Amino acid sequence: MIGTVASTDARFRDMVPGHRNPEDEIKTMRKTMMAAMLAGGFITLAPQLAAAQAAYTWQGPTLLSSGNTMNGCRLRTPMATHSGSLGLSNIFLTVSNTGSQPVRITANVELSGNNSRKSGSISSGLIPAGSQAAIQVFPPGGSTRDGTTLRVTFTSCVVGN
């Protein structure tokens, strides 16, 4: 009988006002500490996350292009954009076909500045006359996009379907 009474007391002791279970207190402390550590980590990383997601645009003197009129094509590169992580998200180059016929293009692209240089090649599907296409280039990498120049050299432009 004594064993039964002790076990009954253990089951109902949480119902007694003022009684605290040490195991529950330890769990509560752990949860509180973990929440505080996560909040502190987020507060520390928040400015870096915001900076990583800020958009950047190359245009005017920071976006240079050549070969825009080869083979009777009329191409413009009004801008290139990047947003997100420097190492994971790609630059997108806007190419405008201001000609009267659809075109397909290939080009070499170079990003330079801040003591670094990165290059690659791109190609497009059919860009209709009077339309624009956003072409994926490459992730910029490095530590910043500030002070960089993007150079686009069109290597081919095929007119027609």
Side-chain angles (χ1 to χ4, degrees):
M1 287 298 278
I2 294 175
T4 306
V5 171
S7 118
T8 303
D9 286 344
R11 283 187 296 149
F12 293 107
R13 73 175 159 200
D14 290 338
M15 295 180 169
V16 176
H19 175 71
R20 294 184 178 154
N21 184 348
E23 292 174 10
D24 289 341
E25 286 188 24
I26 291 171
K27 288 179 186 176
T28 303
M29 283 183 6
R30 285 182 184 158
K31 288 178 185 176
T32 304
M33 288 176 57
M34 184 60 78
M37 289 187 331
L38 288 173
F42 181 74
I43 290 169
T44 303
L45 289 176
Q48 294 170 352
L49 292 173
Q53 307 237 346
Y56 191 85
T57 301
W58 290 268
Q59 58 189 6
T62 61
L63 177 60
L64 308 173
S65 61
S66 62
N68 305 35
T69 57
M70 70 167 53
N71 198 26
C73 292
R74 290 180 26 204
L75 304 170
R76 287 186 50 242
T77 53
M79 71 176 169
T81 59
H82 178 264
S83 62
S85 168
L86 291 171
L88 300 175
S89 301
N90 286 299
I91 294 170
F92 284 88
L93 174 68
T94 301
V95 176
S96 296
N97 175 9
T98 59
S100 59
Q101 296 198 32
V103 298
R104 294 179 196 274
I105 60 103
T106 59
N108 292 325
V109 181
E110 177 184 280
L111 179 64
S112 60
N114 296 323
N115 298 318
S116 66
R117 182 177 164 268
K118 188 169 187 177
S119 61
S121 59
I122 60 170
S123 61
S124 75
L126 192 66
I127 305 173
S131 296
Q132 292 184 341
I135 302 170
Q136 183 174 318
V137 183
F138 48 66
S143 59
T144 182
R145 299 161 295 197
D146 296 332
T148 58
T149 300
L150 194 66
R151 288 178 179 79
V152 180
T153 306
F154 291 99
T155 55
S156 73
C157 181
V158 179
V159 177
N161 297 325

